[in-house]
């Protein structure tokens, strides 16, 4: 074994929030374990955060301190920048670019940065012979980037799906279990610190959309195209829909799907119904699940904690160990310049839909709704009209497979019937 | 990029059964995809099997043919031996040793070989600077070796569990769904070609035990010790137990568990009850599931096809791509000589048990059984006595947590009560 092999791998940790401190704890607690696994010591030489005086749950006294993450990134005694600042511009991006230029490799948990600038950063890293790894950016502790990029590298990937925002899943499962409306649970989640500073990142599906766009790039060998993700958050999911979907044997999840179709790359992140008894349907709270489908392997399903100090730090350390062991592969699993521009495809594959509407108590009302569906070319699989004391009654419809266009047509036409109160709700049913 | 980087990686495939042909198909169908992902072409130069004249589902005309896998292993134009012969002695072992000695890396799907000779082969490979990879040896298409060795390398692993023999799981789920006894379904499985030539490898839990022993070595940094796996097959699982367990909300699975305890390394592979609604309980047919628990990541669950041409070939190709990309880590994730000898620990952690017995229809019979349990220090969580037309009645007991010793004591004592017909059955209940 040469001397180069046993020199320590020296980390500079930029960002000392929950995840940064989690990484520090692992490096400190498992020094021997990491050294024997990596074949060399893994050490932290320097750290960086804005506020040095803040009380943190780890002893940082042995590490050099930089207030400026860019200064940290270019230090002589740092081999790998571990970027845990977050945000798709500003300090995080500057530090990563500085690190690459200074000949350092990068490990990051920054999904927003990769979703917005992944291509540019990957090209920069590869032109400089540097590596960027980002397991922690997608699905927390689940090693999904590694599974997709390496474990399933012999497959043409057909489809990638996932529940990848624990906060949304927490809100949806809590609404159901406590019977509380969205707004109430949203405020609970905020009080518990589960929401990002800008909560639309979570509940608007943006964070999950970033993750989906990154997975799609690796899966299909295409340039990250977050702007093409069809995004819909969970804000319009009502407690009524959660209850009614439950009656029909479904649960509502914020589910992402990316697949390469004959028309181009379809990427969507939206609330969907899934069978309550399915693995996705059973997913509780902050747990994430990712489904990968390859032409040789079939379906592989991964489940684990999607966030939190330990799980996210575990993912960061997996990347660190890979670098310590000398694994050097392109950011998205193939050279950045070989990644294709993907034609975005509209979401048009036919699926079954759940439709909920309030029917006015008039003779022939249900017949009018059925006529609209018939005109839209939608056939009904199951229909349930609920008893009512009021002047309107909830009607639930599970359709046979139909297209989003047909459903849009029906939703518009309902308004003209004069028997449907307010707006009807429609959601896709995904049989995973 | 240097010339060395773009030279092809040349495979020699030893063994042209289902998996070997699956590998050939992937290399042929995905040549471009593999080259862009690996950064170099991946090609097959030579193949080997006993019978050249056999009709195979792939065009092998472009490859050199060797009847002797050792001759294949040492060919000048082979960089990586892909060993798909199987068996823990004989041709497979000779070919791998010859390949390592000749400076080749090895990819194998051979769980028996690694369970029996993993330490010797790993030491040999490492002394020669060679790499052995074996993703396909455990849980088919699920990249569990990679996840454990690399993705979770920042964790101290606490426990590894898994349903890892698809044939056993097929038999158990088929017994339940068709209401058929073990012997009938066993013969069905044999007729369908699901069983190994020596079926005790499957139904005796040996194959699954091999896999567990390999996972334990990686998880705990210990030398593979298959002989210390407490093994029990599915042969004694009766249709009665499957039905009764179902009544109580459980399903029976051949579940492996490995954990490092204060007393040493516990490894067991035996039929257990798991909650019917749990992910393990819902596992159908040939699907495998592995549960990995790390101190930082918590629980990660992986599910996928445990066998078959495509899934197993996918795992082989993951390893091939790793080698093509230059990943070189020790066989068990740390140097073979650093692996500890593990003290085997008896299975003694307390769990809840399922006990089924036939109670004779005599006054005070149930009281006698309850007295035995009390004397054994076992407290009852749930008890159900079934109606009976005969002179005996089935009694099901779910205990609170208790030790295997206490259960063994009770099982022996039941015989002396004179009210229990035949042998009582006891199985662990695992809450995963």
């Amino acid at each position: 074994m040469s001397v180069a092999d046993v020199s320590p791998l020296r980390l500079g940790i930029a960002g000392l929030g929950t995840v940064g401190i989690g990484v520090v704890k692992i490096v400190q607690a498992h020094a021997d374990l990491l050294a024997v696994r990596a074949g060399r010591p893994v050490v932290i030489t320097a750290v960086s955060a804005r506020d040095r005086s803040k009380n943190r749950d780890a002893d940082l006294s042995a590490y050099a301190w930089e207030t400026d993450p860019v200064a940290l990134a270019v230090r002589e005694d740092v081999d790998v920048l571990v970027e845990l600042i977050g945000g798709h511009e500003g300090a995080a991006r500057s530090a990563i670019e500085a690190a690459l230029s200074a000949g350092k490799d990068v490990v990051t948990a920054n999904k927003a940065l990769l979703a917005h600038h992944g291509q540019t950063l990957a090209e920069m890293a590869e032109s400089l012979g540097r590596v960027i790894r980002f397991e922690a950016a997608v699905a927390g502790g689940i090693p999904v980037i590694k599974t997709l990029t390496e474990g399933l590298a012999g497959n043409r990937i057909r489809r990638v799906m996932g529940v990848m925002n624990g906060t949304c899943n927490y809100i949806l499962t809590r609404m159901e279990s406590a019977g509380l409306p969205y707004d109430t649970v949203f405020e609970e989640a905020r009080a518990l610190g589960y929401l990002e500073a800008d909560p639309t990142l979570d509940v608007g599906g943006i964070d999950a959309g970033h993750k989906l766009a990154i997975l799609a790039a690796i899966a299909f060998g295409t340039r990250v195209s977050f702007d093409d993700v069809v995004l819909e958050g969970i804000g319009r999911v009502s407690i009524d829909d959660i209850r009614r979907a439950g009656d029909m044997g479904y649960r509502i999840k914020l589910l992402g799907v990316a697949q390469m179709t004959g028309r181009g790359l379809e990427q969507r992140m939206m609330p969907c119904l899934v069978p309550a008894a399915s693995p996705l349907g059973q997913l509780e709270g902050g747990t994430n699940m990712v489904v990968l489908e390859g032409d040789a392997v079939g379906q592989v399903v991964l489940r684990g904690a999607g966030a939190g100090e330990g799980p996210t730090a575990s993912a960061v350390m997996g990347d660190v160990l890979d670098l310590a062991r000398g694994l050097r592969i392109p950011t998205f699993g193939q050279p950045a310049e070989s990644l294709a521009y993907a034609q975005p495809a509209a979401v048009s594959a036919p699926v079954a839909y759940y439709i909920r509407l309030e029917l006015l108590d008039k003779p022939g009302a249900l017949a009018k709704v059925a006529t609209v569906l018939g005109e839209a070319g939608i056939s009904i699989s199951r229909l349930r009209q609920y008893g009512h004391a009021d002047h309107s009654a909830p009607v639930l419809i599970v359709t046979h497979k139909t297209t989003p266009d047909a459903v849009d047509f029906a939703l518009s036409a309902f308004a003209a019937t004069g028997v449907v109160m307010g707006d009807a709700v429609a959601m896709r049913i995904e049989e995973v």
Side-chain angles (χ1 to χ4, degrees), chain A:
Chain A
M1 197 172 267
S2 75
V3 174
D5 289 332
V6 294
S7 65
L9 185 78
R10 300 167 302 175
L11 311 179
I13 314 284
L16 294 171
T18 311
V19 180
I21 294 301
V23 170
V24 170
K25 286 182 188 171
I26 292 179
V27 171
Q28 291 179 350
H30 290 338
D32 293 347
L33 200 62
L34 300 176
V36 73
R37 288 177 180 169
R40 56 196 287 201
V42 174
V43 299
I44 296 168
T45 45
V47 298
S48 149
R50 258 181 303 196
D51 180 2
R52 185 165 188 171
S53 63
K54 195 171 159 186
N55 192 22
R56 292 184 174 91
D57 182 25
D59 178 4
L60 306 172
S61 58
Y63 314 137
W65 183 279
E66 299 281 356
T67 309
D68 177 6
V70 171
L72 177 89
V74 302
R75 283 177 66 98
E76 281 280 327
D77 59 2
V78 164
D79 301 313
V80 175
L81 172 69
V82 179
E83 186 276 303
L84 303 169
I85 302 165
H88 68 274
E89 296 294 349
R93 186 178 183 180
S94 305
I96 288 177
E97 290 175 349
L100 295 173
S101 297
K104 325 290 192 187
D105 295 322
V106 171
V107 172
T108 175
N110 195 326
K111 58 222 76 169
L113 182 67
L114 286 161
H116 286 280
H117 306 298
Q119 182 67 24
T120 308
L121 289 170
E123 285 179 9
M124 181 179 176
E126 289 161 35
S127 72
L128 294 164
R130 294 293 107 200
V131 173
I132 302 176
R133 292 187 73 77
F134 52 95
E135 186 63 78
V138 179
I142 305 173
V144 58
I145 301 295
K146 178 172 278 287
T147 299
L148 197 54
T149 317
E150 303 169 36
L152 304 187
N155 289 261
R156 187 172 295 283
I157 301 296
R158 292 169 172 159
R159 190 163 66 149
V160 174
M161 287 182 288
V163 172
M164 296 184 288
N165 182 282
T167 304
C168 287
N169 204 47
Y170 166 82
I171 290 175
L172 293 173
T173 52
R174 170 89 178 137
M175 284 171 70
E176 181 175 10
S177 62
L180 292 170
Y182 175 81
D183 291 341
T184 309
V185 176
F186 176 88
E187 289 307 328
E188 275 186 13
R190 192 203 295 270
L192 287 165
Y194 289 0
L195 286 162
E196 302 265 356
D198 173 4
T200 59
L201 283 175
D202 285 317
V203 298
I206 297 167
D207 168 83
H210 287 154
K211 295 167 182 168
L212 186 71
I214 293 169
L215 289 182
I218 300 170
F220 306 113
T222 49
R223 297 177 182 226
V224 186
S225 56
F226 168 66
D227 291 344
D228 294 325
V229 178
V230 178
L231 265 190
E232 191 187 306
I234 61 169
R236 77 177 181 107
V237 176
S238 71
I239 180 67
D240 276 352
D241 283 317
I242 288 177
R243 285 197 188 117
R244 300 308 185 196
D247 288 353
M248 307 290 265
Y250 296 104
R251 298 182 81 184
I252 300 177
K253 298 289 170 189
L254 179 66
L255 180 67
V257 179
Q259 56 192 337
M260 188 59 78
T261 73
R263 299 157 289 100
L265 176 62
E266 179 181 328
Q267 300 179 90
R268 60 188 146 86
M269 178 62 66
M270 49 176 68
C272 298
L273 276 66
V274 297
S278 69
L280 272 174
Q282 291 192 311
L283 212 57
E284 298 287 339
T287 310
N288 280 198
M289 183 175 282
V290 184
V291 179
L292 307 172
E293 293 176 0
D295 61 349
V297 79
Q299 193 180 73
V300 173
V301 180
L302 314 175
R303 180 164 63 84
E309 176 183 308
T312 314
S314 166
V316 168
M317 290 307 300
D319 284 343
V320 166
L321 268 280
D322 280 343
L323 291 173
R325 284 163 160 170
L327 178 66
R328 304 192 70 78
I329 60 178
T331 309
F332 294 102
Q334 65 185 67
E337 58 191 20
S338 74
L339 294 164
Y341 289 95
Q343 175 70 26
V347 177
S348 62
V351 292
Y353 271 80
Y354 156 97
I355 297 173
R356 179 174 61 84
L357 47 85
E358 280 292 315
L359 198 63
L360 287 173
D361 193 3
K362 293 183 179 175
L366 194 59
K368 287 189 181 174
V369 164
T371 302
V372 164
L373 291 172
E375 283 168 1
I378 297 173
S379 66
I380 297 169
S381 166
R382 290 192 282 157
L383 183 148
R384 192 176 292 185
Q385 179 169 341
Y386 285 80
H388 55 109
D390 219 335
H391 61 295
S392 75
V395 171
L396 298 191
I397 299 161
V398 172
T399 74
H400 283 294
K401 280 193 180 181
T402 184
T403 61
D405 283 352
V407 172
D408 286 346
F409 173 88
L411 293 184
S412 313
F414 286 149
T417 59
V419 298
V420 174
M421 210 171 77
D423 288 333
V425 171
M427 275 186 267
R428 298 169 65 90
I429 300 176
E430 297 285 351
E431 303 281 348
V432 182

